[in-house]
Amino acid sequence: MRVGIIGPIGSGKSTLAHLLANYYNVPKVEEPVANSRFLPLFYSDMKKFALVSQNFFYGELFLSMWDTKDEPALVCDSTLFSNLVFADLLKLEGVMNEEEVELTYKIADAHMKLIPDLDIHIVLIRDEDSLFQNVRKRSRDLEEGQYSYLKFHYANYSSVLENIFNRYNVPKQKILYLKVDDMFDQLHFNDLVAQIEQRYQQLTYEQQTLDL
C-alpha cells in the first residue's frame, strides 16, 4: 500500500506519516520544506522568493518520490499535489501571478508522468485553533506576515485542494478524509488505521472485480 498524506500546515502530516511508517514497517518519504534554506527566505519576502522556493520544494519532493518509486509500500508525508495547493493559494493571495503558477503546473505534470500514482491520498482535517496550536508547538514564533498567511491558507485550503483533485481526475474513492486529534492516543490511532485499511480493501476489491 502506497499512501500520501495531504493537509494544511500544522495538521499533523509528519506525525501521522511517522506513526504509519513504523506501524507498517515501510519507508517514509519526508517533506523537504521544514529544514530548507528557502523557507526563511520565502517568509522574509514571499513575492520575491515564491516561485523559486515553491519549485525548489517541489523538485526536492519529486527526487524523494523518484528514489522510492519501486517500493511496493510506503508512506509520504506530502504529495506532488501538496505544492500545487500552495502555488494556487499564493496566486489567490496575489503573491504569485498566473504565469508563475502555470509554470509550476507544467513542472508538476512532467514529474507526475515519471512516478507511479499513490493508492490512497489521505487528507487530514483539523479545526483552525488546533492547526495554530500545532504550529506554535513546533517553536515557530508567528510574525504578523506569517499569521496572516496561515489564516488565508486555512480558510482556502480545502476548496483549492478539491479543484486540484478535479483537475487531475483523482477518483473520489482514492481520497480519504480523516478527522484527526491526538494521534499518539492509541485508540484514536487504531481507528485511523482501521479507516485506511478499510478503504484500501475496498479499492483492492474494486480493482480485482475490474480485472475479471
Side-chain angles (χ1 to χ4, degrees), residues 29-42:
V29 175
E30 296 186 4
E31 185 178 34
V33 175
N35 298 315
S36 171
R37 291 178 61 193
F38 276 92
L39 192 61
L41 290 175
F42 171 69

Side-chain angles (χ1 to χ4, degrees), residues 163-174:
N163 288 337
I164 291 170
F165 281 150
N166 290 335
R167 174 170 177 154
Y168 285 95
N169 298 311
V170 179
K172 292 192 179 301
Q173 61 269 31
K174 296 187 72 170

Side-chain angles (χ1 to χ4, degrees), residues 12 18 29 45 57 65 73 88-89 101 124 130 132 134 137:
H18 173 75
V29 175
D45 192 331
F57 300 152
M65 298 189 81
D88 274 341
L89 287 170
V101 173
L124 301 187
S130 178
F132 272 114
N134 282 347
K137 280 181 182 177

Side-chain angles (χ1 to χ4, degrees), residues 1 7 12 29 34 45 72 85-86 90 137 144 172 176 204 206:
M1 176 171 61
V29 175
D45 192 331
V85 174
F86 284 96
L90 290 169
K137 280 181 182 177
E144 180 56 37
K172 292 192 179 301
L176 177 61
T204 301
E206 290 173 5

Side-chain angles (χ1 to χ4, degrees), residues 143-201:
E143 298 176 3
E144 180 56 37
Q146 294 169 312
Y147 180 79
S148 300
Y149 168 71
L150 288 174
K151 285 285 289 185
F152 187 87
H153 172 91
Y154 295 152
N156 294 278
Y157 191 95
S158 295
S159 59
V160 167
L161 177 60
E162 187 68 24
N163 288 337
I164 291 170
F165 281 150
N166 290 335
R167 174 170 177 154
Y168 285 95
N169 298 311
V170 179
K172 292 192 179 301
Q173 61 269 31
K174 296 187 72 170
I175 306 168
L176 177 61
Y177 294 91
L178 291 181
K179 186 171 179 57
V180 294
D181 193 3
D182 178 7
M183 289 179 278
F184 291 104
D185 179 89
Q186 193 61 50
L187 289 177
H188 181 52
F189 177 70
N190 290 346
D191 179 62
L192 297 177
V193 169
Q195 292 182 64
I196 294 167
E197 293 187 347
Q198 181 182 34
R199 180 60 58 88
Y200 183 66
Q201 290 168 4

Side-chain angles (χ1 to χ4, degrees), residues 104-123:
T104 303
Y105 268 96
K106 287 179 181 178
I107 294 171
D109 292 344
H111 285 161
M112 289 185 195
K113 292 175 183 176
L114 298 174
I115 58 174
D117 193 13
L118 296 166
D119 296 313
I120 302 175
H121 300 270
I122 297 172
V123 182

Side-chain angles (χ1 to χ4, degrees), residues 2-21 27-35 57 60-61 64-65 68 74-83 86 118 120 122 124 138 157:
R2 296 168 56 88
V3 302
I5 302 172
I6 309 174
I9 297 169
S11 58
K13 298 183 294 295
S14 296
T15 298
L16 182 58
H18 173 75
L19 291 171
L20 289 175
K28 179 180 70 170
V29 175
E30 296 186 4
E31 185 178 34
V33 175
N35 298 315
F57 300 152
E60 287 292 298
L61 178 60
S64 296
M65 298 189 81
T68 54
L74 55 73
V75 179
C76 305
D77 75 358
S78 184
T79 80
L80 294 182
F81 292 135
S82 300
N83 199 60
F86 284 96
L118 296 166
I120 302 175
I122 297 172
L124 301 187
R138 294 187 295 194
Y157 191 95

